Amino acid sequence: MNRRPFVAGNWKMHNDLVAARALMAGLRAELGGALNVDVAVCTPFTLLYPMGREIDGTSIKLGAQNCHFESKGAFTGEVSPPMLVAAGCDYVIVGHSERRHVFGESGDMLRKKVVAAQAVGLHVIYCIGEQLDDREAGNTERVVESQLQEALSADLNTDLLTLAYEPVWAIGTGKTASPDQAQSVHAFVRAKLGGVFGQETAQRLRIQYGGSVKPGNAKALFECPDVDGGLVGGACLVADDFVAIISAAQDSV
Ligand code: PGA
């Protein structure tokens, strides 16, 4: 099955308006033409609306890095899925390891976020991934399986779902999973997705790899049969690097 690769940049808590506009100008200059991959930039909340204007007329899409699971109410400091739609988002990342491990978001909460985001038409990038001690103890598959079970069920809209496998020990550390390590977990995840959604749908769903994706390692990762692009942190903050990673995804088609 030919899946269209999907590369998303996770800006995390980086960039002010000036830096963000400069980065977008760099991306626009290089990514003006038609792409054979999907591309999104997931910016901080405060940059969503202005970056939505920056990507106007390009094939780059806008995403948020988190959302709340209620649509409105007394939830100080939170941002709801309808608010993200109003700000111009097509995508939202749910379950990033920093949300799970730094902010203590539970599986139950993440499940509610996935459902609430899809209910207003947002495409969810649902992140899973083991920590270093899980991997060293041989528990990688058990951890990712339970993260899948917590949030996913057959009633979800699979047209609005992408998975991102991000081994926590590879995020922001400069250590990348080897292509073999990535492929092995991606194939496992796809098999489990088959159990939830059926084999045909599982073959259609995209699974991004994330964790220190750089211009120098993107090609080998994206060439793995079950790796369908990447969720890119640090390298997406440099226009040339992000463009090189997108080119690697285009070449893998
Ligand atoms: P990194 O981040 O590319 O800086 O490792 C990836 C992510 O956290 O999504």
Side-chain angles (χ1 to χ4, degrees):
M1 153 102 37
N2 261 349
R3 290 175 296 269
R4 184 178 165 94
F6 176 21
V7 178
N10 175 8
W11 288 16
K12 308 195 181 184
M13 199 168 72
H14 291 288
N15 285 335
D16 60 17
L17 188 55
V18 173
R21 286 198 166 125
L23 174 55
M24 290 307 307
L27 297 183
R28 269 200 316 270
E30 296 293 330
L31 303 175
L35 300 172
N36 63 353
V37 301
D38 290 336
V39 175
V41 290
C42 299
T43 81
F45 290 133
T46 52
L47 290 171
L48 287 172
Y49 185 73
M51 291 309 105
R53 301 183 71 120
E54 296 285 326
I55 60 173
D56 213 23
T58 74
S59 32
I60 305 169
K61 302 284 188 198
L62 191 66
Q65 301 167 16
N66 183 27
C67 64
H68 192 62
F69 47 80
E70 295 290 349
S71 56
K72 61 182 173 184
F75 300 102
T76 302
E78 294 292 327
V79 176
S80 74
M83 291 171 176
L84 297 182
V85 172
C89 287
D90 285 307
Y91 292 94
V92 61
I93 299 171
V94 173
H96 189 277
S97 72
E98 286 145 23
R99 300 303 317 172
R100 292 178 188 270
H101 302 300
V102 182
F103 299 102
E105 294 191 1
S106 65
D108 179 47
M109 193 185 274
L110 297 175
R111 158 87 195 160
K112 289 190 205 164
K113 291 185 181 203
V114 173
V115 171
Q118 287 198 340
V120 293
L122 287 168
H123 187 119
V124 172
I125 301 174
Y126 180 64
C127 301
I128 54 175
E130 81 288 1
Q131 295 182 278
L132 185 58
D133 52 353
D134 301 321
R135 176 160 284 267
E136 286 176 347
N139 288 332
T140 298
E141 293 188 349
R142 195 180 56 72
V143 170
V144 300
E145 183 172 6
S146 83
Q147 292 169 333
L148 291 171
Q149 278 169 353
E150 279 166 354
L152 304 186
S153 54
D155 55 332
L156 290 177
N157 181 348
T158 51
D159 291 336
L160 295 178
L161 184 66
T162 292
L163 280 293
Y165 168 59
E166 299 202 299
V168 180
W169 48 271
I171 294 179
T173 58
K175 287 185 199 146
T176 317
S178 68
D180 284 352
Q181 285 174 321
Q183 170 55 28
S184 147
V185 180
H186 281 234
F188 174 80
V189 170
R190 196 174 303 286
K192 293 295 157 191
L193 293 173
V196 179
F197 300 113
Q199 288 309 325
E200 204 176 306
T201 300
Q203 285 304 319
R204 199 166 47 72
L205 279 167
R206 291 175 298 184
I207 310 173
Q208 297 173 321
Y209 168 80
S212 298
V213 176
K214 306 286 177 207
N217 59 28
K219 181 173 186 288
L221 287 162
F222 296 166
E223 278 174 353
C224 297
D226 286 291
V227 176
D228 309 308
L231 181 54
V232 183
C236 83
L237 298 172
V238 178
D240 286 350
D241 288 354
F242 194 49
V243 167
I245 290 167
I246 292 164
S247 299
Q250 293 196 269
D251 293 345
S252 74
V253 175

